[in-house]
Amino acid sequence: MAKKRILNKPFISLDNTFRSGQCFRWGRYDEFGNFVFGEKDTDGFWDGIVYGIPLRLMSDEKYIYFDSPASEVYVPQLRQNLDIKDFIRFYLRMDTPLDQIYTEISKDKYVRNAIKRYYGLTILRQEPYETVISYMISPQNSVEKIAQKLNEISISLGNSFSFGGKEFPVFPTPEDFLKKSESFKDKSLKLRFGERQKENILKVVKSLVEGKFDLNGLFGKPYQRIINELVQFKGIGRKIADCVALFSLDKLEAVPIDVHVKRITEKLYGSLLGDKPRGVKDYEFVSNFWRDYFGRYAGFAQEFLYMASRDGILLTL
DNA sequence: ACCCAGGTCTAGG
DNA sequence: CCTAGACATGGG
């Protein structure tokens, strides 16, 4: 395959990034067309479909190697096409020096050790729409299960893209969801969803198609406004809104508080919380603590400690 | 069987 | 304002 490359500086680890639980569609497609989440291919490349295009990525100390049938990518939140190299730099956030972010969040040994352990982890700039739908599926599901469901949805409702002898199922557009809403609601869809969840998702895609919800227009808007607009939708609560803000709308101060982050807050920072009104049950109180403590890149600190918690090594940090 | 998984909504105090 | 229970479902 024709592999091109761009400088990997400062160093980004695709392994640590794609396994961090922020994204669900990076893995490998095997010869039977099955998707294996969180594993790269035998040739060292990760398979992904982002912003509607197949993309294969590999990283070493010096370069990011890529392969894609696309030479340009449309980025809806920028409302413009980017050359594939510029797109990869945008997607991997290569415009913001990772080392500077790491330095700013290194407030204690826990984060410093987590950074050492997961060095090169970055927060991607995912497509807002796909991020919304992905996290609307996330409640009470494991990362692996979410990945399975999103793959299943893509096969059932989206287009497929042949590339390099593999089939890449593209995440369905909002129009795909509406067009095939009957099969989306159909119980034959292998990995089922709750009826309420389906209705909530269809409501979101409907207002996107009808132009009533300018999700991409939220890119660059103030944090609080983004949260306020997102939580108006049923099925999008405070935590999912923070995930969308952090993982797709460039709000690195967003700190999604899930079960892991609650545990982290209790175990590591309980003594720092001070006068806690309702302890870790108070979402605003806890996420404000993270922002006060870690600063403008608090979302990065959250992601590093979240990884450590998932891997069960929190207390060894 | 029981508990958990990147939560949210609703009803009822 | 607050809490308990429902929601769905495969894997440990």
Side-chain angles (χ1 to χ4, degrees):
Chain A
M1 285 189 210
K3 294 161 194 161
K4 298 180 181 173
R5 65 191 194 187
I6 50 184
L7 266 182
N8 187 7
K9 199 174 178 187
F11 176 70
I12 287 172
S13 163
L14 296 180
D15 293 16
N16 287 336
T17 299
F18 293 157
R19 292 185 182 129
S20 70
Q22 62 177 298
C23 54
F24 306 100
R25 305 213 57 221
W26 283 98
R28 67 182 166 86
Y29 295 94
D30 67 18
E31 60 269 38
F32 309 109
N34 297 313
F35 176 57
V36 185
F37 170 74
E39 283 182 24
K40 50 191 166 187
D41 206 348
T42 46
D43 60 2
F45 273 79
W46 289 87
D47 294 332
I49 306 107
V50 289
Y51 290 76
I53 60 141
L55 182 62
R56 305 190 77 227
L57 289 174
M58 189 177 90
S59 65
D60 63 20
E61 312 79 49
K62 282 193 176 169
Y63 297 104
I64 304 277
Y65 302 87
F66 68 94
D67 198 9
S68 173
S71 55
E72 281 196 336
V73 181
Y74 181 67
V75 181
Q77 64 271 47
L78 299 179
R79 304 194 192 284
Q80 61 169 306
N81 284 302
L82 292 182
D83 168 82
I84 185 76
K85 282 193 183 185
D86 290 332
F87 168 73
I88 292 168
R89 291 191 191 98
F90 172 81
Y91 182 68
L92 297 179
R93 200 180 291 281
M94 297 180 83
D95 48 283
T96 318
L98 270 189
D99 39 11
Q100 186 194 326
I101 295 174
Y102 290 0
T103 302
E104 281 199 37
I105 61 172
S106 289
K107 302 290 185 187
D108 55 44
K109 65 165 185 167
Y110 305 121
V111 179
R112 279 197 294 273
N113 287 336
I115 289 174
K116 228 176 274 178
R117 171 73 179 74
Y118 304 108
Y119 198 83
L121 186 161
T122 192
I123 290 179
L124 302 165
R125 286 195 184 103
Q126 301 186 59
E127 188 173 350
Y129 152 70
E130 181 175 334
T131 309
V132 167
I133 306 301
S134 299
Y135 280 94
M136 287 184 81
I137 289 168
S138 71
Q140 303 304 96
N141 269 311
S142 64
V143 170
E144 290 73 16
K145 185 89 69 71
I146 297 164
Q148 278 177 48
K149 289 192 178 191
L150 292 173
N151 185 51
E152 180 66 26
I153 285 181
S154 302
I155 291 170
S156 304
L157 309 180
N159 293 320
S160 182
F161 218 130
S162 290
F163 176 57
K166 296 179 173 185
E167 284 299 313
F168 288 72
V170 180
F171 192 79
T173 64
E175 289 78 8
D176 288 334
F177 263 98
L178 282 193
K179 243 185 299 176
K180 305 186 182 175
S181 60
E182 286 316 309
S183 46
F184 177 57
K185 287 191 232 172
D186 192 344
K187 300 226 189 292
S188 63
L189 190 60
K190 210 164 61 184
L191 297 152
R192 290 176 203 157
F193 303 85
E195 294 307 309
R196 222 171 39 193
Q197 208 171 42
K198 288 181 184 175
E199 291 303 325
N200 290 341
I201 288 172
L202 285 175
K203 258 182 220 165
V204 171
V205 298
K206 200 170 176 199
S207 42
L208 284 170
V209 170
E210 291 172 352
K212 290 176 181 166
F213 176 35
D214 184 15
L215 172 61
N216 291 310
L218 291 178
F219 191 83
K221 293 289 187 297
Y223 171 63
Q224 208 36 253
R225 173 164 170 208
I226 289 174
I227 299 301
N228 292 344
E229 292 219 16
L230 287 170
V231 296
Q232 307 231 0
F233 288 94
K234 282 199 174 140
I236 303 181
R238 194 63 182 76
K239 187 267 175 184
I240 292 178
D242 266 329
C243 287
V244 174
L246 176 61
F247 299 135
S248 75
L249 294 174
D250 245 18
K251 292 301 158 189
L252 299 181
E253 71 265 45
V255 181
I257 311 291
D258 72 332
V259 282
H260 287 284
V261 183
K262 274 179 198 157
R263 259 175 241 155
I264 294 163
T265 309
E266 277 172 348
K267 286 184 183 169
L268 304 186
Y269 304 113
S271 59
L272 294 179
L273 277 178
D275 195 16
K276 36 189 168 182
R278 292 189 305 285
V280 294
K281 287 185 177 175
D282 188 330
Y283 194 102
E284 296 302 328
F285 181 73
V286 174
S287 65
N288 283 334
F289 162 76
W290 280 70
R291 267 186 288 283
D292 291 343
Y293 184 68
F294 288 107
R296 58 180 170 161
Y297 299 132
F300 259 88
Q302 173 271 161
E303 198 60 16
F304 273 103
L305 293 175
Y306 167 81
M307 278 296 282
S309 177
R310 272 199 79 199
D311 286 345
I313 60 166
L314 203 55
L315 296 179
T316 69
L317 289 179

